[in-house]
Amino acid sequence: MDFMKYAYFKNEITEFEKATVSIATHSLQYGTTCFGGVRGYYRNGKVSIFRLEDHYIRLINASKMLGFEFYISWDEFKNIVTELVKKNEIKEDFYMRPFIFCSEPRISPKKAGLTFELAIYMLPLADYVNTDNGGMKFMSSTYRKYNDAAIPTKAKAGGSYINSFLATSDAQRNGYDEALMFDDAGNVVEASVANLILIYRDKVIIPDTGSAALEGITVRSMLEILEYNGYDIQRGKIDRSMVFTADELLVTGTAMKIVYAESLDGRPIGQLDYSAKALPGKFYKLLKSEFEKIISGGHELSKKWLFEIK
Ligand code: PMP
C-alpha cells in the first residue's frame, strides 16, 4: 500500500516509516484500539475533509465506551489534522485513519496502568468499489454481528473487526463481493464495513438506532440528503425476505460512499432487465449524484459538511 509520507505519532508529525511500535504492544495482542475512517477530497484546487468533526466525536465517544481514558479537544484534533494534511501536500482524494491505541508491551488484557494515545496516517484513495458493470453481490453471512452485550457496537473497536474479517473473507471465498450481517434474532444489521438503506414498497427503511449496526456518518448523511429531497425515513426491523423483495438495497460508508446491491444469495434485488439482472434504482442514482455534488462543493449541504484545509 502506498501510504503518505507523514503521519502523526507520539505527539508529533513524523515520517510514516518511523512511526513504529513493539510487536508486544497491548493493542496488537488484544485489539485494544478505536479508530476512524475519514475521507478527504481534492476538488478545484482545494482540500476538504468530509464531516471531520463528526468523525472526531465518534472517535472520542468510542474511547469513552471502551474506557481508554484518553481525551483530545476538537481544536487540538483539527489543528493536528490540518498540519498533517498540509505536510503531505495533498493533490488527490485520500483516506485518513485516526486511531487511539496503547503502544505499551503487555501480556494481560487489563487496562490498569496503561496509557492510550492518538496516531493518524493517510493514503491516497480514489473509488473503492466500481459498480460500472453492476452492483455488489451479497452473501448472507453465517457469522452473526456481535451484540452490544458483548462489545460496544457503536465504537469502531479494532478487535471487533475480527467479525468483519471472518464475514467478508467468507463471502469473497465463496465468490461474492460482500457479507450481509444479521443479529442473533435474524434481523439484518449492516454489511461488513458499511451501513444499509432498504427501499421497500417505495419507503426508505433503516435498522433501528438500537440495532447492532455502527452509527455510520455516511448513512446519516445519505438520510439527510433524502430528507432534503422530501423523503421520510422509517426505522425498524428488516428481515431477509424484505431484502429479497426490496425495490433497492443501498450500501453506504466512508470507503464506498454509495453503491447498490445487485443480489443476495444469488437472487437479484429490485428492478430487473430481460436477462434477470438487477438494475440500479432511482434512489441509488439520486444519492450518488447528490453526494458527488456535495463533495465537489456545489451543494447547499457542502458548507455544512466539508471541513476545508486552509
Ligand atoms: N459499519 C461498519 C461495521 C463499518 O466499519 C463502517 C465503516 N466505518 C460503517 C458501518 C460505515 O460508517 P461510516 O459511514 O462512518 O464510514
Side-chain angles (χ1 to χ4, degrees):
M1 272 191 135
D2 189 15
F3 294 100
M4 290 189 184
K5 185 161 179 206
Y6 294 101
Y8 178 79
F9 181 64
K10 300 278 176 210
N11 302 314
E12 60 180 13
I13 307 255
T14 180
E15 282 181 33
F16 176 81
E17 301 296 333
K18 294 190 181 147
T20 54
V21 294
S22 153
I23 56 168
T25 55
H26 195 271
S27 289
L28 179 59
Q29 300 302 321
Y30 300 109
T32 42
T33 72
C34 58
F35 64 99
V38 186
R39 250 189 193 275
Y41 299 100
Y42 182 71
R43 301 288 147 95
N44 311 315
K46 285 189 199 155
V47 177
S48 44
I49 301 183
F50 188 69
R51 301 191 73 160
L52 183 65
E53 189 166 2
D54 293 301
H55 281 282
Y56 157 80
I57 292 168
R58 187 172 67 188
L59 187 68
I60 292 296
N61 280 340
S63 170
K64 268 192 209 166
M65 280 185 269
L66 298 166
F68 287 172
E69 299 179 68
F70 171 87
Y71 183 73
I72 182 169
S73 70
W74 161 238
D75 278 344
E76 288 167 293
F77 183 81
K78 76 174 182 217
N79 290 342
I80 292 168
V81 167
T82 302
E83 202 187 329
L84 181 61
V85 168
K86 284 185 176 165
K87 189 90 177 154
N88 277 320
E89 299 180 346
I90 306 292
K91 295 255 175 324
E92 60 202 320
D93 290 357
F94 62 94
Y95 183 84
M96 176 183 283
R97 171 63 57 89
F99 64 105
I100 297 168
F101 74 112
C102 167
S103 64
E104 292 174 40
R106 284 299 156 90
I107 54 157
S108 147
K110 63 177 184 268
K111 159 75 178 68
L114 296 178
T115 50
F116 282 74
E117 60 192 279
L118 173 74
I120 311 176
Y121 60 85
M122 299 172 58
L123 54 150
L125 188 69
D127 275 349
Y128 185 71
V129 177
N130 183 350
T131 48
D132 289 349
N133 299 316
M136 297 184 91
K137 297 182 179 64
F138 270 81
M139 181 185 105
S140 295
S141 182
T142 55
Y143 286 98
R144 294 294 160 111
K145 172 82 195 210
Y146 53 88
N147 70 47
D148 211 79
I151 296 174
T153 53
K154 308 281 178 284
K156 274 178 79 69
S160 71
Y161 276 78
I162 284 285
N163 187 235
S164 304
F165 168 84
L166 290 167
T168 190
S169 308
D170 256 17
Q172 290 182 359
R173 204 177 286 125
N174 285 299
Y176 296 86
D177 301 311
E178 243 295 15
L180 191 66
M181 307 295 292
F182 296 84
D183 64 16
D184 289 339
N187 301 305
V188 170
V189 179
E190 58 184 341
S192 70
V193 286
N195 291 109
L196 301 170
I197 302 173
L198 193 78
I199 314 298
Y200 186 72
R201 313 278 187 263
D202 222 27
K203 298 241 161 28
V204 180
I205 311 181
I206 59 155
D208 283 324
T209 310
S211 82
L214 181 78
E215 281 182 330
I217 289 163
T218 323
V219 71
R220 213 196 305 164
S221 312
M222 295 297 167
L223 298 177
E224 256 187 84
I225 296 170
L226 288 173
E227 280 167 347
Y228 176 88
N229 281 277
Y231 292 100
D232 292 330
I233 315 297
Q234 291 184 5
R235 289 177 170 73
K237 286 192 163 64
I238 298 172
D239 62 24
R240 184 158 44 192
S241 300
M242 290 169 75
V243 176
F244 283 144
T245 58
D247 305 336
E248 296 178 47
L249 175 67
L250 307 178
V251 193
T252 185
T254 297
M256 13 195 134
K257 300 181 205 164
I258 182 99
V259 295
Y260 68 99
E262 165 185 314
S263 60
L264 172 62
D265 302 333
R267 294 131 169 103
I269 297 170
Q271 188 65 44
L272 310 183
D273 65 12
Y274 282 104
S275 65
K277 186 175 156 80
L279 295 163
K282 73 171 188 203
F283 282 84
Y284 165 70
K285 289 183 192 158
L286 170 75
L287 287 171
K288 193 173 164 66
S289 87
E290 287 278 273
F291 196 70
E292 278 308 315
K293 258 186 239 157
I294 290 169
I295 61 182
S296 304
H299 194 285
E300 241 180 78
L301 292 168
S302 305
K303 235 192 163 51
K304 185 171 158 194
W305 288 343
L306 293 182
F307 175 83
E308 205 180 302
I309 303 289
K310 292 191 185 119

